[in-house]
Structure formats: C-alpha cells, structure tokens
Amino acid sequence: MTDSLFYAELTWPDSQARIADGASVFLPLGATEQHGRHMAMNVDVVLPTAIAARVAAKVGGLVLPPLAYGNRSQPRTGGGPSFPGTINLKAHTFSLIVRDVICDLYRQNVRRIVTINGHYENIGPTIEGIEMALDEIGRDRVTDLIVLRVDHWDMVRAATLERIFPNGYPGIELEHASVIETSMMMALRPELVNIGQASNDGPASFQPYDRYPSPCDGVPPSGVLSLTEGSSAEKGEWLLADCEAAIIEIISREFNGD
Ligand code: ZN
Ligand code: MN
C-alpha cells in the first residue's frame, strides 16, 4: 500500500492508523475562478494544496481532497461575475461544506485540523463554517479539538514582500492573478502559465466601497487586478518557502506547545 500524504489515496485502515497516530489533517480551500488570460482557473486550488503537501511532508500530516469551488467571486478581489469560467458557491453553501467536513473528521477522532485557503472570498464563510462546526459538536465537548485557519498570503514575510515589490506591495486584494499567484504557479505548474498572454492592463482602480448589483467597473478586461510584470518561478519559490516555514512554526506552537 501507499504511504501517501493524500488522505483519499489511503485505504481506510491506513487512514485510521495515521489518524490514531495523531496526524494533522490539512483542508485546502480553493476556487474555480478566472485568473487572467495567462493562467488556468485552478490557481486557488493548486497553491493551497501544494503548500499543504509541503507542510504535511514535514510534519507527518495528511492532505484532504481540496474544496475546488469557492465563495462567490467579487469584482474587487477576483474579478467578479463578468468573466466566463468562474463557478461560484453561495457563502452559505461553502460554510456548510466546511462545517460538515470538520464535523465528520471530529467524529472519526481527528483533533488537529488546518484549513489552508487560496481564495480571498472564502475567508468569511470559512470562519462561519468552523464556528458552526464548534456549535454542532458542542462547545463543551470540543476542548480537545484545534482548528487553525490559514490564508497562504499572510504567511509571507515582510522582507520577502519588500524584495518582490520594491515599489510597494499593492495588497492581497489586488494581487489576484498578479505577481504572487503567477510566480507561485510558475514554480509549481509552469505548464499552466502562459506569461506571453499576460496583457498588463491593470492595475485596477476601485472605489473603496461596493455597489450592488455589482457593476464590475474598473476590473481590467484581462481579469488581472494588478500587474504580472516581474513574475518568476524564483520569486514563487521564495513565497512557497515562506509559507512552508511559517505554517510549520504555527503548527509546532499551536499543536505541540513548542
Ligand atoms: Zn487566485
Ligand atoms: Mn480567488
């Protein structure tokens, strides 16, 4: 049999044994969403899954099948509803999936869970899904359960951002399909990036508020919210190394009390 890092590749007796050994379980949370003309639509799935696998390899963890659909894309953070290709879940649906997965992991004696998020709009519904799981299991019963919620972009060190953005970091909301995501995809899945198709029609200029129905004003036609210029596999490796190191440190502090 396999000693795969990927939960679903194990047999049930092997998964049971790994959980009994105390393996941490990683849930990658992604989206199927436009990422410009130059990248595949699975960026928000590929990145958290790869980061989870790197960390799981170091800490003896298991990576669950990723959630490949995300909470509804918004113009200011993912281009919104005006692009063909993007498939949206409603926030409530997304929260219920997160809740159900955590509850069923708990039922099977998993007590160390890390959600690794790759899609900005998933943040709120993930928090709600975790809270609903705690409600459903029972707040008084969950004292032995720890759930960590990580957005991969928050794992990057300030020094790395300064190296990548010497003229100033535009902020993660505008980084959609831009230098951070493009560089990490070039490092991990270069066959899914065609940098020659990047049109550099950004950066987007948004008002600091939302209007509904979403007008999508200010979303660059390419779907890239900032710029792709300067993306490279080397920068992608810097970002991935930061994510891996930071999450390993968080796990050793939160799960092992180090
Ligand atoms: Zn993305
Ligand atoms: Mn996204």
Side-chain angles (χ1 to χ4, degrees), residues 63-241:
V63 182
L64 292 168
L67 181 46
Y69 302 98
N71 178 39
R72 193 190 320 248
S73 180
Q74 294 292 309
R76 287 204 282 150
T77 45
S82 62
F83 291 88
T86 300
I87 298 173
N88 295 309
L89 295 183
K90 292 177 173 64
H92 185 56
T93 310
F94 188 93
S95 298
L96 294 178
I97 294 171
V98 171
R99 179 200 69 181
D100 286 357
V101 171
I102 292 172
C103 285
D104 223 17
L105 290 170
Y106 185 84
R107 183 179 66 81
Q108 303 190 48
N109 299 317
V110 175
R111 294 294 183 268
R112 298 288 181 268
I113 300 170
V114 187
T115 67
I116 309 226
N117 180 34
H119 176 64
Y120 189 86
E121 293 86 333
N122 288 347
I123 295 173
T126 302
I127 293 169
E128 181 61 10
I130 294 167
E131 294 284 8
M132 284 194 295
L134 300 181
D135 286 341
E136 182 152 316
I137 296 163
R139 299 270 169 179
D140 48 336
R141 287 181 58 203
V142 292
T143 49
D144 57 346
L145 171 67
I146 300 174
V147 182
L148 304 178
R149 197 196 69 77
V150 169
D151 300 312
H152 69 67
W153 49 85
D154 281 340
M155 301 295 106
V156 178
R157 291 178 302 140
T160 304
L161 290 176
E162 278 167 31
R163 261 168 107 193
I164 294 176
F165 300 100
N167 299 321
Y169 177 43
I172 191 59
E173 299 95 316
L174 274 193
E175 263 299 301
H176 178 77
S178 303
V179 172
I180 286 180
E181 288 188 320
T182 301
S183 294
M184 288 200 281
M185 285 296 282
M186 290 170 88
L188 291 167
R189 298 291 302 275
E191 77 281 13
L192 297 180
V193 183
N194 182 352
I195 202 70
Q197 288 294 313
S199 47
N200 290 314
D201 53 357
S205 60
F206 293 121
Q207 298 294 337
Y209 59 86
D210 296 316
R211 193 183 87 201
Y212 295 93
S214 291
C216 295
D217 295 346
V219 178
S222 68
V224 176
L225 297 187
S226 186
L227 294 170
T228 48
E229 273 174 326
S231 300
S232 72
E234 185 190 20
K235 290 175 186 171
E237 283 298 345
W238 300 346
L239 293 159
L240 291 163

Side-chain angles (χ1 to χ4, degrees), residues 33 35 43-44 118 176 181:
E33 182 185 41
H35 275 75
V43 173
D44 292 355
H176 178 77
E181 288 188 320

Side-chain angles (χ1 to χ4, degrees), residues 15-85:
S15 79
Q16 188 181 40
R18 298 281 294 279
I19 299 303
D21 283 347
S24 300
V25 171
F26 295 83
L27 174 60
L29 298 171
T32 298
E33 182 185 41
Q34 72 83 17
H35 275 75
R37 296 182 183 280
H38 70 291
M39 280 200 293
M41 293 193 291
N42 62 356
V43 173
D44 292 355
V45 180
V46 168
L47 301 181
T49 306
I51 291 164
R54 285 186 181 209
V55 175
K58 293 279 172 60
V59 304
L62 291 170
V63 182
L64 292 168
L67 181 46
Y69 302 98
N71 178 39
R72 193 190 320 248
S73 180
Q74 294 292 309
R76 287 204 282 150
T77 45
S82 62
F83 291 88

